[in-house]
Amino acid sequence: MARVLVVGAGLTGGACAALLRGAALGRIAVWDKARGAGGRMSTSRSARDAACTADLGAQYITLETERAGPRRSFYDELLSHGILKPLTAPVEGMVVKEGSCNYMAPQGISSVVKYYLKQSGADVFYEQLVTCISLRDGKWEVSRKMGPPEQFDIVILTIPVPQILQLQGDIVNKSPEIGPSVVVHTTVTFGSEHLDSDPAEVQQLILSHLERIVPSLPKPASIKCQKWRYSQVTKAVPNCLGQMILHTQPLLICGGDGFTHSNFDGCIDSALSLAEAVKSHL
Ligand SMILES: Cc1cc2nc3c(=O)[nH]c(=O)nc-3n(C[C@H](O)[C@H](O)[C@H](O)COP(=O)(O)OP(=O)(O)OC[C@H]3O[C@@H](n4cnc5c(N)ncnc54)[C@H](O)[C@@H]3O)c2cc1C
């Protein structure tokens, strides 16, 4: 039975592992460098009160009814389990396209990814930063920052493309006590201009601007300034329909929104395409 490693416990990795459940494979392992699941669909908890949460990356998911195709069942499943709920809160300036529905995750957007990881039955390990992937005796030897390297028959990379390129080796209940959370997203231009600036200075710039535009905002109990170095994909890898095979024997394949587009649908398309390619390789 082939031993499979999925690198990345974000939406693509989680959905792909779930799709591979039941395929003629051995146990599937998922490794992520972070301390929890979600990737860019992460939910942060206040250090003062874990019940106070904020989604720092993706905020809501948009179903385009006419273009949903095979993805429709993913929405239906998440809705039937209460993981997604229709987004009913008014969003200032939001343009809702005809035929589309927006959904949010009441338990935090990372609950979507956690749902798929649970469905997959995979062994999920966090704080596993993959640094190097090398061919050894017909298998992939995967090295991480901490712990010994391990060998796999199939490796599926679902990490952002710039992070794939950094790899070394042979690849070139609400209580009144809980206050609301406020998430401030900057523009892409601001983000790019301040990518390498001192985070404390950037945080102060954002806070000063926020105070000017919403002077009545109460002083926050805690603040977290999150920098997304690899945010949304502006130019996907061309002509590869959701995945790219880097090596066939043994199989090394990569996917993620860098091979489609940066939203729920892009990740599901990539996960479907990855699972299909892995199954036809068996
Ligand atoms: C600010 C922001 C707002 C967004 N808003 C929306 C929205 O409203 N709606 C929507 O549908 N989409 C939105 N998106 C896009 C959406 O979040 C992404 O398309 C999606 O989460 C990508 O999922 P992924 O699994 O492909 O990648 P990721 O979520 O990036 O997952 C990759 C995982 O790999 C891990 N990793 C990386 N390198 C290594 C390594 N070397 N070793 C081990 N692990 C590693 C990371 O820790 C991460 O958990 C937004 C994104 C951002 C950043």
Side-chain angles (χ1 to χ4, degrees):
M1 289 283 233
R3 194 167 178 233
V4 182
L5 174 68
V6 176
V7 184
L11 179 59
T12 308
C16 179
L19 285 164
L20 287 174
R21 187 176 192 152
L25 297 164
R27 283 201 77 80
I28 299 178
V30 179
W31 287 3
D32 199 295
K33 70 182 171 75
R35 276 183 297 166
R40 279 168 286 159
M41 292 202 169
S42 71
T43 301
S44 187
R45 293 181 188 279
S46 161
R48 287 165 54 100
D49 186 344
C52 182
T53 62
D55 291 332
L56 296 184
Q59 306 283 304
Y60 59 88
I61 288 168
T62 307
L63 164 66
E64 293 185 54
T65 328
E66 287 195 353
R67 295 174 52 200
R71 280 182 246 112
R72 178 76 209 216
S73 60
F74 288 81
Y75 288 88
D76 293 341
E77 190 178 333
L78 292 171
L79 283 163
S80 72
H81 285 85
I83 308 286
L84 291 183
K85 289 252 162 47
L87 174 63
T88 49
V91 180
E92 189 76 29
M94 181 167 182
V95 183
V96 181
K97 277 203 256 161
E98 209 182 306
S100 72
C101 308
N102 293 317
Y103 298 104
M104 49 77 71
Q107 294 111 50
I109 199 77
S110 66
S111 63
V112 174
V113 178
K114 288 177 185 159
Y115 172 79
Y116 288 123
L117 288 171
K118 193 165 173 209
Q119 292 297 306
S120 73
D123 301 316
V124 187
F125 299 95
Y126 296 109
E127 299 187 83
Q128 303 294 323
L129 173 70
V130 171
T131 51
C132 181
I133 301 182
S134 309
L135 275 173
R136 193 171 299 266
D137 306 327
K139 290 182 187 282
W140 288 110
E141 185 173 83
V142 184
S143 306
R144 49 205 158 157
K145 201 169 170 196
M146 308 239 271
E150 285 192 28
Q151 292 197 345
F152 296 90
D153 300 290
I154 296 175
V155 176
I156 302 172
L157 303 173
T158 67
I159 64 182
V161 173
Q163 286 171 307
I164 293 179
L165 297 175
Q166 283 165 30
L167 293 174
Q168 304 293 307
D170 294 327
I171 31 168
V172 180
N173 199 18
K174 289 193 175 75
S175 115
E177 301 302 314
I178 303 168
S181 316
V182 176
V183 178
V184 179
H185 280 185
T186 70
T187 59
V188 173
T189 323
F190 180 93
S192 317
E193 277 168 14
H194 293 91
L195 202 55
D196 295 313
S197 310
D198 177 1
E201 279 172 25
V202 178
Q203 179 171 310
Q204 198 43 54
L205 271 177
I206 298 170
L207 280 176
S208 312
H209 189 66
L210 186 65
E211 265 168 37
R212 277 201 301 280
I213 55 174
V214 199
S216 58
L217 209 64
K219 210 172 153 39
S222 64
I223 303 174
K224 177 171 177 179
C225 188
Q226 170 75 43
K227 172 169 71 181
W228 293 110
R229 182 171 288 275
Y230 307 115
S231 179
Q232 279 123 309
V233 174
T234 48
K235 197 164 162 243
V237 178
N239 310 322
C240 55
L241 299 172
Q243 48 84 2
M244 186 187 270
I245 292 177
L246 301 180
H247 195 277
T248 44
Q249 229 27 279
L251 184 63
L252 178 63
I253 183 168
C254 50
D257 62 350
F259 298 84
T260 50
H261 42 269
S262 274
N263 59 19
F264 181 85
D265 288 359
C267 297
I268 296 297
D269 283 350
S270 175
L272 284 164
S273 175
L274 283 166
E276 193 53 45
V278 171
K279 284 178 191 167
S280 57
H281 173 85
L282 294 174

